[in-house]
Amino acid sequence: MAVPCPDDPSLERHFKGHRDAVTCVDFSLNSKQLASGSTDSCLMVWNMKPQSRAYRFSGHKDAVTCVHFSPSGHLLASGSRDKTVRIWVPNVKGESTVFRAHTATVRSVHFCSDGQSLVTASDDKTIKVWSAHRQKFLFSLSQHINWVRCARFSPDGRLIVSASDDKTVKLWDKTSRECVHSYCEHGGFVTCVDFHPSGTCIAAGGMDNTVKVWDVRTHRLLQHYQLHSAAVNALSFHPAGNFLITASSDSTLKVLDLMEGRLLYTLHGHQPEGDVPAPAGRGRSPERVPSRLQEPPSMPQTLTSTLEHIVGQLDVLTQTVSILEQRLTLTEDQLKQCLENQQLIMQRKTS
């Protein structure tokens, strides 16, 4: 039996307070606070100091899907199924500002490293960039042809990476607003993506149960992992860049050693109280990465056809909303021009 090493991960704390499923979590940069979102439409901010009170923030009208602290920790962004983004001040008052521009569920929010900009991703197939401090919408990136699940800034803020249900990961230049490259190696919806702390590579996970790592300079696939038995829903690099942690619908977290290309630990945190998570690394033989990918289990043909039909109908609805928005904008411009013309006529009459 393996004896746990002092460095082995262990369950440190657990929090209870949400009234429904927890959908997202994020630590503040100093690790003193943890934010969580839930299908109960609320955010919770937990203080890591024992016996400290937690804050509950209400404001969203539907499930909270994503949360992210600003680098300073003075702001907290959230996205929701109610199609809005909110910026909160994580204190007792819990004041927030609402950002509206998306036309469908917001799946992802992420602050730039300087805290000045915010990038969001949505089921309306767009990525949007906002000024956090001026509280202003700046621009959209819209080459994905299906829902966008995740978007992240690079550490230097020059690039944006996005993951989509169109099975691609796209790399964008923030300044030119152009798509630099599309990574198409995933065999299913891509659910999550993140930049390595060095900014030189990205990792993405998806519904095909795999995790892939690419070099953003050469666009070469560096590593792929087939370790989970269900969809990969989230991933994050260790600040040192040597490790990657992944979360899956198979109810496990896995810690990957990127330098050696192997599984280091499997963590089982979400289980009945009293059970101790068992690390799967120290004292065991290394679990090597499979040399090839396995085919994901196929769905029944009728279910596949139904899902494709629903996606097709959603595409039509999204296009219709987009056309309506364009027509409303055109109407507003025409009304503005008419008012200006009337003012000129009145001025001429009075003079």
Side-chain angles (χ1 to χ4, degrees), residues 82-85 98-104 106 120 122 124 126-130 136-140 321 325:
D82 66 10
K83 308 175 189 176
T84 69
V85 174
V98 185
F99 290 2
R100 290 184 174 90
H102 283 295
T103 58
V106 180
T120 59
S122 169
D124 63 12
T126 71
I127 302 115
K128 296 190 186 294
V129 178
W130 316 72
K136 182 182 178 183
F137 167 67
L138 298 178
F139 60 86
S140 284
V321 169
E325 285 178 338

Side-chain angles (χ1 to χ4, degrees), residues 11-128:
L11 183 61
E12 183 173 331
R13 294 188 65 187
H14 68 273
F15 301 97
K16 291 183 178 179
H18 283 295
R19 300 184 180 96
D20 210 333
V22 178
T23 57
C24 50
V25 292
D26 186 53
F27 275 105
S28 61
L29 204 58
N30 61 14
S31 298
K32 290 183 178 179
Q33 290 183 309
L34 176 70
S36 60
S38 168
T39 51
D40 65 9
S41 305
C42 291
L43 281 76
M44 296 285 289
V45 175
W46 315 85
N47 289 296
M48 296 304 293
K49 197 174 178 181
Q51 310 305 319
S52 296
R53 65 175 294 182
Y55 301 126
R56 181 192 301 276
F57 299 147
S58 300
H60 284 295
K61 307 302 181 190
D62 207 331
V64 179
T65 55
C66 47
V67 290
H68 190 240
F69 275 103
S70 65
S72 67
H74 296 149
L75 296 174
L76 176 64
S78 63
S80 169
R81 213 153 53 193
D82 66 10
K83 308 175 189 176
T84 69
V85 174
R86 283 180 179 260
I87 303 290
W88 307 80
V89 180
N91 58 21
V92 180
K93 292 182 180 178
E95 298 168 339
S96 68
T97 303
V98 185
F99 290 2
R100 290 184 174 90
H102 283 295
T103 58
T105 298
V106 180
R107 295 285 177 187
S108 169
V109 290
H110 187 250
F111 280 100
C112 191
S113 57
D114 62 7
Q116 299 295 314
S117 302
L118 183 74
V119 64
T120 59
S122 169
D123 287 359
D124 63 12
K125 306 179 191 176
T126 71
I127 302 115
K128 296 190 186 294

Side-chain angles (χ1 to χ4, degrees), residues 108 119-122 125-127 141-144 147-153 159-172 179 181-183 190-195 202-204 214:
S108 169
V119 64
T120 59
S122 169
K125 306 179 191 176
T126 71
I127 302 115
L141 304 171
S142 51
Q143 286 189 28
H144 281 293
W147 299 350
V148 187
R149 300 277 189 135
C150 185
R152 295 285 184 268
F153 281 112
L159 300 172
I160 294 170
V161 68
S162 57
S164 170
D165 281 8
D166 63 11
K167 304 180 184 179
T168 71
V169 172
K170 291 187 184 293
L171 190 66
W172 310 81
C179 180
H181 191 79
S182 292
Y183 303 90
V190 191
T191 55
C192 51
V193 68
D194 196 17
F195 269 99
I202 54 173
W214 292 275

Side-chain angles (χ1 to χ4, degrees), residues 322-337:
S322 179
I323 292 167
L324 288 171
E325 285 178 338
Q326 291 172 11
R327 288 180 178 175
L328 283 169
T329 303
L330 183 62
T331 304
E332 287 173 359
D333 292 342
Q334 288 173 342
L335 283 170
K336 186 179 177 183
Q337 187 66 45

